[in-house]
Amino acid sequence: MRITELLTKDTIAMDINATEKNGVIEELVAQLNQAGILNDDDAFKNAIFDRESQSTTGIGEGIAIPHAKVAAVNKPAIAFGKSQSGVDYQSLDMQPAHLFFMIAAPEGGAQTHLDALAKLSGILMDDKVRADLLAAQSPEEVQQIIDRADDEATEEENEEQQGAQTATSNDVTGDEPYILAVTACPTGIAHTYMARDALKKQAKQMGIQIKVETNGSGGVKNALTDEDIAKATGIIVAADVHVETDRFNGKNVVEVPVADGIKRPETLINLAQDTSRKPFVASGEQRSKSTEDNDQGIGKTIYKHLMSGVSNMLPLVISGGILMAIVFLFGANSFDPKSSEHNAFAEQLWNIGKNSAFALIIPILAGYIARSIADKPGFAAGLVGGMLAVSGDAGFIGGILAGFLAGYLTQGVKRLVNGLPQSLEGLKPTLIYPVLSVTITGLLMIYVINPPASWLNNLLLNGLNGLSGANIVLLGLVVGAMMAIDMGGPFNKAAYVFATAALTEGNSAPITAAMIGGMVPPIAIALAMLIFRKKFTKEQKGSVIPNFVMGLSFITEGAIPFAAADPLRVIPSMMVGSGVAGAIALGLGSAIQAPHGGIIVIFATDIGHALQSLIAIIIGALVAAIIYGLLKPKVTEVEAEASEAMNE
């Protein structure tokens, strides 16, 4: 298919009026819509802006190629416009863009259309084509320029294919540089092929042989063979999406965004020839993950993967917890159809919060731990392992073990199948990895992990349920203090995960201590500024109300700026206050039934002990505020003057 079958007179806007990026997009979308290309111009425009938010399509050399592949497009097309004065398009080379090609591709577009779009991307790398287009005076002239370049590109492509049928990497001598490259972008339409052509053009100028594999919309083209890889001096991976790199183990690999392939081809080719660079180590999908883990040590590596799971789990915990708290406003048993308090709306909120969001907590925790270890191939096995931990009564302990099991097992599967033929590469991420990792993870969870994890989980819960008197107070003291040690850091997160795990199993004591203790630091900081006014600057005292609001909302991080500025006084003070608050709350019988929400959930889920919880918060905050205030020195004249200057 010829490019001008897509770039018609109706889609050529010629001189555009816009003077900024958004205006250019608006004009070209309007041109496509007027030509009948779009069935939903707003949806297409939003897709264009979404693509721009990932990375600019202003590729440099005065060119911008905004593009999208969505159902809002009736048929594939290309819109063209130009600006003699130039538009700041936030291009890669920071120069104004003059030539604009907007590519509209329908979902599931025919391969012939995609090939034409790819060819256009390559054509625009020619300096003469760009100069001619900028000087064009009519749509007809634009089409003539593109047609002429299309003919030349097709002829060159045919010559290259004929040469490829007779030439192999055996033609490369041991002393002759032979560079490989892989290019890929999110849509697989423009940047993939522009990076390919920029690298090929630069290599030709440098007298270096190069072979480029493209991972575009139509799949992998010009795939690198084992023979190619063995002969290569170096390999450039210019990609913004996943590319299988385990095949490059032991080679000199240069990994960069696809834009660098367009912008810095000479630099990349020089790096690919530098045999002194550290060889690529295939241990998963990205070398950086492996080396980073080795550098961090076992403890930090485990913590990093665990926190990946926790951070992705928290939105479910918070949203589910808030919905559960709202349900309690309708009545303690309003979600139960058998209760006289039953409310149909409350029942549905309970289904969303407790039976859906909370039901996903452990699978998501396990899934994202596995993904942190093994990237996307580990995610499915982690989710399945997490589900089996739930059904096997292994709780959070089983979920955490499932995540690490699935992640490292998937890494092992990757290594195991690394030697399969190149023809099976495409099946690895979609068939081989998931089937093997999910099956083995599932069997190990059922027969090996779940039995002891379930026993340990029940032992812990029975121990918590049996706490009373001095023991329950001690639990409140420890959990409350942990919430204030680093205010959102490892200790805080460990206490919160433990408390949430206990709540999902029906024990509310830990989350009560965690929430009460976590509310104290910001409130204590605010009280200290009110009680010891002369010891704080004007700027600091401006945060009194925000700290009260954050504290009452259970946002412990509100105290972080003060802790960072004066850790030796703030942290011990807050730990004492939070620990006291947690101990008092559990000692007085408080039992909060939701994992987030602060003062709202206290009244919504434990109205019978709301006064006791407030007393615990007030006493804990006063203790922390007084200790901090007594330890803190008065504001110096220099500090006061600096604060005044900042507020002028």
Side-chain angles (χ1 to χ4, degrees), residues 23-40:
V24 172
I25 292 174
E26 295 272 359
E27 282 195 45
L28 293 179
V29 169
Q31 190 72 26
L32 288 169
N33 193 47
Q34 183 179 341
I37 303 300
L38 309 176
N39 57 62
D40 187 338

Side-chain angles (χ1 to χ4, degrees), residues 66-221:
H67 54 274
K69 185 179 180 183
V70 290
V73 179
N74 292 322
K75 57 182 180 180
I78 303 170
F80 169 76
K82 64 190 180 76
S83 169
Q84 292 291 344
S85 58
V87 173
D88 179 7
Y89 204 88
Q90 302 166 354
S91 300
L92 296 175
D93 58 3
M94 306 303 290
Q95 297 301 312
H98 298 273
L99 300 174
F100 307 94
F101 289 85
M102 178 172 284
I103 298 174
E107 287 184 342
Q111 185 56 42
T112 52
H113 297 150
L114 297 174
D115 289 343
L117 298 176
K119 191 186 297 183
L120 170 66
S121 302
I123 285 172
L124 293 176
M125 299 308 296
D126 188 305
D127 295 338
K128 186 177 185 305
V129 171
R130 296 198 302 272
D132 289 345
L133 286 171
L134 192 58
Q137 298 297 314
S138 67
E140 291 81 4
E141 193 174 350
V142 169
Q143 288 185 306
Q144 289 170 6
I145 295 167
I146 295 296
D147 269 333
R148 187 166 58 248
D150 195 341
D151 290 336
E152 293 173 359
T154 301
E155 183 179 344
E156 183 179 332
E157 188 176 304
N158 291 336
E159 291 175 358
E160 191 173 282
Q161 288 177 350
Q162 290 173 2
Q165 291 174 357
T166 57
T168 69
S169 57
N170 288 324
D171 297 325
V172 182
T173 66
D175 299 328
E176 190 175 17
Y178 180 50
I179 304 300
L180 303 179
V182 182
T183 62
C185 65
T187 57
I189 295 175
H191 288 60
T192 297
Y193 302 100
M194 299 189 77
R196 174 199 65 185
D197 291 325
L199 288 166
K200 288 171 62 178
K201 179 181 177 182
Q202 185 63 45
K204 185 176 182 180
Q205 291 177 1
M206 297 170 69
I208 294 172
Q209 293 194 53
I210 189 169
K211 178 178 179 180
V212 185
E213 171 186 297
T214 55
N215 288 232
S217 293
V220 175
K221 296 290 183 66

